[in-house]
Amino acid sequence: MIKPLSITLAIAAAFPQLAYAEEELARVVVTGSNIRTSQKEGASAVQVLTAKELAATGKATVADILRTISANSGNSYNEQYTGSFSAGTAGLSLRGLGQKNTLILVNGKRVSSYATAQDLQEVFVDLNSLPMAAVQRIEVLKDGASSVYGSDAVAGVVNIILYKEFKGTEVSAQVGSSTEGTGQLERSASLQTGFGSLDEKGWSVVFSLDALKRDKLQQTDVSYLRGSDFRGYANGTLAWTPTNYYGTSDATKQLGGVQGPLQVQNYGDITPGKSGRVLAYNPAEFRTLIPGVERVHTSLRGTLKLNDDTEAYAEGLYGYSWAEQTFGAPLTVGSGLRAWNNARQALDNITVALPAGHPNNPGTTALPFTATLFDLGPRMKQDKVDFYRALTGIKGNWNGWEYDASIARSGSKLKETVQNFVNRYEFEKVLADGSYNFADQSKNSEELRNRLRLSTLRPAESTLTVADFNASKELLELPAGALGFAFGAQWRQEEMNSNTSTAVLSGTELRPAINIIQGKRQVTAAFAEFNVPVLKDLTVNLAGRADKYSDFGSAFSPKASVRYQAAPWLLLRGTVSRGFRAPSLPEITSSTSVSYGSVIDKRDPITPSQARGITNITVANTELSPERSKNLNLGFVVSPSANSSVGVDFYHIRTTGVIDTESTDTILANESTHPEKVVRDAQGRIQTLYRQYANQGERVVSGIDVDLRYKLPKTAYGNVTLTAQLSRVFKYEQPLSNGEPLTNGAGTNYFGSIPKWRGTTSAAWELGQWTANAAWNYVDGYEQTTRPGERVKPFATVDLNLGYRISAATSMNLLLANAFDRKPSWDSSFNFFDYTQGDPRGRFASVKLNHKF
């Protein structure tokens, strides 16, 4: 970490004296409180990204901006996570605690979660469904705020604030391409316009629209990945997929010969420990790294002044998102092939054996085999998402009370279409009658292929209905200042209806993945907050919130914070709070999930030391309790001058009753007492593991955030502003398995990759018609836990943005993301790179034009 530390020292050295400039600040509500204050820095650490700073990044989406902040420690995903039930989406995971523990607000109000759950249990807000053009600023509260906002704010809150008023019209267009391989083209455009004025006309209307289209990036488009040959990396292999062989003890006995993408390879190059030769194919042409997307977002807000003390407002958000990807290679049929039996809520085993007399079976008995049905084509997926929020409210002053009341309805609706899956019943027919040639698929007719091909539709929808009210007032004047008070109430209804296709429910689709969630609940809450000036420079804030859930019971979240202006240049602050995360609807309501993974089973009679593919069936648990958390935050801000500040904040979050399923190691260790959780085939090999959500161990997370800002004195060479946000994770402790002691995963990938350091430092320069911004983004390395002694290297990129104002109304920017074309770091646990930390696109160059009317 030489560079972040050197920047820290450089900024500190630039403070020649401790001089503080007093400023008149308007009274505003800051994220994390309901009480208006004129304090520039509060008791809680809030990172504010202004419109100017957002523009300087050059990024076209809310997700791309938020995912670069240093507090995004790990366990957050974007559209690179193509294997999930929520392809094409993006979320945020403050402190690495998961997207379900980070609350996303728009204008201080809730929006609907994504239509279905990610990784079976993660309920989150899809950042790709939110508008970019309408954003005025983003506030990131980095401590727990369950006492103000409720359940899902354990790790922090992101409040995306849109323009309430806008003068004139502004349009922009941007086009760019990656410079890696064949390149990935991206086009975006935006419109922002506003009418009226609250002060002058008593009304205002703001409308925005933004659109983005990006081409699909395949693994074959990236030069260093297209061969899937990683033998030059630590513990890397030839990442090809073996297939098309007879299922005998000699797996190198080939079914037919080289055809389509199949080639003969050394089996040991693909799977260490294997011997002989095997038919295999390169999966790169069937792997999408980043989906092709089309998105349109609109935002409309109107405000009407009813009188001097009252205004009514209405707001509409709509987002359309379409994502297209290659879901995977054509289906491979062989041992472990199954279909869903809805009556039994279990999987039926499908026999894959060539009957005696089959043209591909030279023997006189049924012959098990494995084959990939290449002639059916790759499996494809398209996800179409419609997101909306309609909100209306009234706010104003009444007898000294400032109040805000609103009602809202928000939703996310998914239609997922897949092609080239395989029809179970047609497969069983062609297997029995010998009409399909597995050894030479070029001889199969198109009519026969179409009988086997299966296209399906998976629908899902999530809705949120909310009624909010809050009011605040200065109750009385104390010797040190006014006693502030706020209170409020909220009612909301959350509903998720995530289905699977009729082909899955009827048992027609082979090797189905299922994520069925059907749940609804109501939540009522009441909250109160006091802001108590104890001394002139010492303020104590006390807050509490009581939530009642219809499906598990009640929870209370108190919070106390202290703000002490120890000197004009020194602020000390701290908060202590209790929080909770309610069980998500997939965890506690009617839900069933089928997913696929791998396991090393010491009892496996054939490969006891090698990973074997298995099926997981996961079900909900109506007896769950919420996760409970205790949060501690301590920090200080040093402001030697009005143009400089250094903030350091320590956080510590202890969570008990963490909701998860039992680990594979625990299930296998207790197989003798719970044999119903493990299903083995006739040979004794694992086929299926049954899992259920439960409140299990605890988790302890701690670290620090550093925020540095310095604006150099203006010179003839222009204005220069330096900023840096650095985060260091000290602890990320969880048990590796149930009942075991806590293990620290900071700087490892025990619990998803959690780098110890993340940071973004930037330098902004302005001179006349020119502007420039350089940002250095750093992700620390981490230990590879499945390969002791192997360390994933740090990853750093530089983004450049050079702007020129052509006229008073028109400007142009040239942008280079990852200007030095750095490749993401190799991680052998993926036999690839970790897509939660890296980006395969390499250098991305674009040009942007902006015009104001």
Side-chain angles (χ1 to χ4, degrees), residues 558-610:
K559 181 176 182 178
S561 60
V562 176
R563 181 189 187 278
Y564 178 43
Q565 192 74 52
W569 51 271
L570 176 62
L571 169 67
L572 304 177
R573 60 190 178 193
T575 65
V576 59
S577 64
R578 285 209 320 254
F580 74 104
R581 182 184 75 83
S584 66
L585 291 175
E587 294 167 339
I588 199 172
T589 62
S590 177
S591 70
T592 302
S593 301
V594 175
S595 60
Y596 300 91
S598 61
V599 61
I600 296 177
D601 175 24
K602 295 179 181 179
R603 294 180 55 194
D604 191 296
I606 299 175
T607 56
S609 60
Q610 295 177 8

Side-chain angles (χ1 to χ4, degrees), residues 110-122:
R110 287 176 176 264
V111 295
S112 171
S113 62
Y114 183 65
T116 189
Q118 186 180 81
D119 281 346
L120 312 182
Q121 70 176 130
E122 286 260 347

Side-chain angles (χ1 to χ4, degrees), residues 136 163-167 192 194 196-199 203-204 206:
Q136 184 178 26
Y163 282 96
K164 181 180 177 181
E165 288 190 82
F166 191 83
K167 305 280 186 176
Q192 174 90 335
S197 168
L198 281 176
D199 291 336
W203 61 272
S204 72
V206 181

Side-chain angles (χ1 to χ4, degrees), residues 514-533:
I514 301 174
N515 193 23
I516 298 175
I517 308 163
Q518 292 180 335
K520 179 196 295 187
R521 66 177 168 211
Q522 290 81 38
V523 185
T524 55
F527 49 89
E529 180 183 358
F530 289 91
N531 202 54
V532 185

Side-chain angles (χ1 to χ4, degrees), residues 381-431:
K381 179 191 287 189
Q382 298 87 36
D383 283 44
K384 175 182 175 293
V385 180
D386 291 283
F387 165 84
Y388 69 90
R389 185 178 78 175
L391 181 147
T392 186
I394 188 168
K395 63 190 301 185
N397 294 282
W398 179 77
N399 285 346
W401 289 93
E402 295 186 28
Y403 66 89
D404 185 350
S406 66
I407 56 173
R409 173 80 170 181
S410 184
S412 172
K413 189 172 184 178
L414 165 70
K415 290 183 179 179
E416 181 179 271
T417 305
V418 296
Q419 295 93 33
N420 296 339
F421 280 55
V422 177
N423 186 311
R424 164 200 182 170
Y425 301 111
E426 292 298 327
F427 172 74
E428 290 177 327
K429 287 178 184 177
V430 301
L431 185 60

Side-chain angles (χ1 to χ4, degrees), residues 333-552:
V333 296
S335 173
L337 188 66
R338 287 180 280 272
W340 182 247
N341 186 318
N342 201 47
R344 295 193 303 115
Q345 290 290 289
L347 292 164
D348 288 338
N349 291 319
I350 309 301
T351 300
V352 182
L354 298 169
H358 191 286
N360 299 140
N361 182 2
T364 58
T365 60
L367 181 60
F369 72 102
T370 297
T372 300
L373 310 184
F374 290 109
D375 63 331
L376 301 187
R379 289 174 290 170
M380 308 295 293
K381 179 191 287 189
Q382 298 87 36
D383 283 44
K384 175 182 175 293
V385 180
D386 291 283
F387 165 84
Y388 69 90
R389 185 178 78 175
L391 181 147
T392 186
I394 188 168
K395 63 190 301 185
N397 294 282
W398 179 77
N399 285 346
W401 289 93
E402 295 186 28
Y403 66 89
D404 185 350
S406 66
I407 56 173
R409 173 80 170 181
S410 184
S412 172
K413 189 172 184 178
L414 165 70
K415 290 183 179 179
E416 181 179 271
T417 305
V418 296
Q419 295 93 33
N420 296 339
F421 280 55
V422 177
N423 186 311
R424 164 200 182 170
Y425 301 111
E426 292 298 327
F427 172 74
E428 290 177 327
K429 287 178 184 177
V430 301
L431 185 60
D433 63 24
S435 58
Y436 184 88
N437 193 322
F438 294 94
D440 187 356
Q441 296 171 14
S442 66
K443 294 182 179 180
N444 296 321
S445 69
E446 194 63 20
E447 184 275 334
L448 179 60
R449 293 167 182 153
N450 285 333
R451 281 173 50 198
L452 288 169
R453 291 183 178 118
L454 182 68
S455 296
T456 65
L457 173 67
R458 178 173 73 96
E461 185 172 11
S462 173
T463 59
L464 173 70
T465 306
V466 186
D468 270 309
F469 173 79
N470 67 76
S472 63
K473 182 180 182 180
E474 293 182 349
L475 294 180
L476 55 92
E477 194 69 27
L478 298 176
L483 172 65
F485 172 67
F487 75 98
Q490 182 184 85
W491 174 88
R492 68 179 188 270
Q493 178 174 280
E494 304 168 355
E495 185 171 5
M496 184 172 284
N497 188 5
S498 176
N499 293 310
T500 190
S501 69
T502 55
V504 169
L505 294 177
S506 64
T508 305
E509 182 179 311
L510 286 175
R511 201 178 183 271
I514 301 174
N515 193 23
I516 298 175
I517 308 163
Q518 292 180 335
K520 179 196 295 187
R521 66 177 168 211
Q522 290 81 38
V523 185
T524 55
F527 49 89
E529 180 183 358
F530 289 91
N531 202 54
V532 185
V534 180
L535 301 171
K536 179 182 178 183
D537 298 315
L538 176 64
T539 303
V540 173
N541 184 281
L542 303 173
R545 179 183 178 106
D547 289 86
K548 184 177 181 180
Y549 282 69
S550 61
D551 51 3
F552 76 81

Side-chain angles (χ1 to χ4, degrees), residues 575-724:
T575 65
V576 59
S577 64
R578 285 209 320 254
F580 74 104
R581 182 184 75 83
S584 66
L585 291 175
E587 294 167 339
I588 199 172
T589 62
S590 177
S591 70
T592 302
S593 301
V594 175
S595 60
Y596 300 91
S598 61
V599 61
I600 296 177
D601 175 24
K602 295 179 181 179
R603 294 180 55 194
D604 191 296
I606 299 175
T607 56
S609 60
Q610 295 177 8
R612 169 177 165 78
I614 56 101
T615 302
N616 296 298
I617 297 182
T618 308
V619 296
N621 182 353
T622 57
E623 302 301 317
L624 288 174
S625 298
E627 298 177 353
R628 306 280 181 173
S629 66
K630 293 181 180 180
N631 295 44
L632 172 68
N633 294 77
L634 300 171
F636 65 86
V637 180
V638 177
S639 300
S641 70
N643 294 325
S644 59
S645 68
V646 177
V648 179
D649 290 277
F650 167 81
Y651 65 89
H652 183 277
I653 305 171
R654 179 182 295 272
T655 305
T656 57
V658 173
I659 298 172
D660 206 345
T661 60
E662 288 182 304
S663 69
T664 299
D665 289 343
T666 300
I667 293 174
L668 296 182
N670 295 293
E671 184 178 358
S672 60
T673 55
H674 294 284
E676 73 280 0
K677 296 182 179 181
V678 184
V679 177
R680 296 180 179 271
D681 63 17
Q683 294 177 293
R685 311 187 79 186
I686 294 177
Q687 287 187 316
T688 305
L689 295 181
Y690 281 85
R691 304 172 184 270
Q692 186 178 38
Y693 295 112
N695 293 101
Q696 298 183 354
E698 68 174 359
R699 178 178 56 224
V700 179
V701 179
S702 66
I704 61 168
D705 295 320
V706 181
D707 186 289
L708 309 170
R709 297 176 183 272
Y710 182 49
K711 186 174 182 180
L712 277 66
K714 185 176 181 180
T715 70
Y717 300 102
N719 298 326
V720 176
T721 302
L722 305 176
T723 61

